[in-house]
Amino acid sequence: MNVRLFSNLRFAPLFLGTLFLVQGCINSDHSAPPTAKEQIGDAVADAVSDTEAKQVEVALRAVDDMAKIQSLKALSPHLIEMSTSDGVAYVTRDYKHVIVGNVLSVANGRNLTEDRMVEMQKVSWEHLPTGLALKRGNGSRKILVVEDPSCGYCRQLHETLATVPDVTVYSLVVAILGPQSQQQAARILCSEDPAKAWSEWMGKGVRPAADLCERGVERLGGAMAAAERLGVKSTPVMIFEDGTRRVGASSSQDIEKALQQAATKRMSKT
């Protein structure tokens, strides 16, 4: 019986430990899907042979027939890391176990799963949909925030960002929390000054007076499509200029630290 390996974990930035057992050995008669190493690409298969890549593909298909492998990496003589369209998972090198969960390094205590997820989620600032976002502030530092009008944590983050100096905030307004969010977001985007209407709603709870309009519905649709391309499953999500992201509300101190790190990386490239 096939299941969606990540189906219950889509709204979590990290995964709770889950173990799926592939009963018995991988049968050589089991026809492997034609998307092994040669389909994935040699450049992204780190010390994983073509034969191993095919076996990993078969093991993954035994428990999830929809996830697509994006890259493979040998973490140890016993474990292979899979970066997939839905997240990070692991396959034991006997191909009997597919593991979803956090892998920690005993040597240095680092969360290797979290590190890989952060790397996977990075995106160039130039490719972010800032043109669809509502701009607030004129600081030299920039953040794009994916927000939902019905999200309490988004409102908390909105207020926190107002206390952070020298920052320009681009709010990508989406509606993933149901019909009420859709109506509210579209009305805000239909306002004469959407950025002002958004700030008044998030900061003061002032409902938008504008009626629904085609322009607002289309803009919301564009923002929703952009958020989906970014892999956003929940709100709020902050994306910094260095491509790193944070899921959920954060303190002003943590945001300031992330901004400084992004600025340092930006300066090192100039």
Side-chain angles (χ1 to χ4, degrees):
M1 180 179 67
N2 288 350
V3 297
R4 288 311 320 278
L5 193 60
F6 298 92
S7 60
N8 295 324
L9 302 170
R10 290 184 175 277
F11 292 90
L14 298 178
F15 303 130
L16 298 176
T18 306
L19 181 66
F20 291 84
L21 303 183
V22 181
Q23 298 296 332
C25 298
I26 299 297
N27 192 324
S28 59
D29 293 332
H30 193 304
S31 56
T35 51
K37 182 179 174 182
E38 65 271 15
Q39 297 283 329
I40 300 168
D42 291 341
V44 294
D46 184 0
V48 176
S49 70
D50 182 71
T51 299
E52 286 180 310
K54 290 179 180 179
Q55 294 280 44
V56 168
E57 183 82 20
V58 173
L60 178 61
R61 291 290 157 260
V63 295
D64 190 333
D65 57 3
M66 294 181 67
K68 297 179 180 179
I69 296 175
Q70 297 175 339
S71 68
L72 298 173
K73 179 180 180 181
L75 283 187
S76 76
H78 308 289
L79 197 64
I80 295 174
E81 175 190 274
M82 295 186 297
S83 298
T84 79
S85 54
D86 288 332
V88 179
Y90 305 90
V91 180
T92 56
R93 271 184 143 153
D94 60 4
Y95 315 111
K96 293 181 180 180
H97 304 86
V98 177
I99 304 168
V100 179
N102 293 317
V103 172
L104 307 181
S105 170
V106 175
N108 56 27
R110 290 194 65 85
N111 187 324
L112 302 182
T113 307
E114 182 178 2
D115 288 350
R116 184 64 183 134
M117 287 292 293
V118 168
E119 192 64 31
M120 286 175 63
Q121 292 173 343
K122 280 188 177 180
V123 59
S124 171
W125 180 266
E126 290 72 23
H127 295 152
L128 292 177
T130 54
L132 292 170
L134 305 179
K135 182 180 176 183
R136 175 165 60 120
N138 290 291
S140 63
R141 305 178 299 178
K142 302 172 186 176
I143 307 175
L144 183 132
V145 186
V146 186
E147 304 179 77
D148 186 296
S150 299
C151 168
Y153 289 111
C154 296
R155 184 166 296 176
Q156 179 181 330
L157 179 60
H158 187 90
E159 294 175 355
T160 300
L161 285 169
T163 69
V164 178
D166 190 28
V167 65
T168 300
V169 178
Y170 294 87
S171 294
L172 187 67
V173 179
V174 299
I176 63 175
L177 298 179
Q180 183 177 353
S181 289
Q182 296 169 9
Q183 291 276 333
Q184 198 79 311
R187 289 181 185 278
I188 287 170
L189 296 173
C190 286
S191 299
E192 183 177 345
D193 186 342
K196 180 181 178 181
W198 179 249
S199 289
E200 288 184 345
W201 167 248
M202 297 299 283
K204 303 176 183 177
V206 178
R207 294 184 178 277
D211 294 327
L212 286 175
C213 66
E214 184 176 351
R215 181 186 75 255
V217 172
E218 289 180 353
R219 187 168 180 176
L220 177 60
M224 294 283 286
E228 184 176 358
R229 288 193 296 271
L230 290 170
V232 172
K233 310 295 184 184
S234 62
T235 56
V237 174
M238 288 182 287
I239 304 179
F240 298 85
E241 287 185 270
D242 62 350
T244 59
R245 67 177 70 188
R246 286 176 178 264
V247 179
S250 296
S251 68
S252 58
Q253 292 85 357
D254 286 342
I255 294 170
E256 180 63 38
K257 182 178 179 180
L259 284 167
Q260 290 177 4
Q261 291 174 344
T264 299
K265 292 179 183 179
R266 183 184 63 195
M267 293 297 292
S268 67
K269 293 180 179 180
T270 59

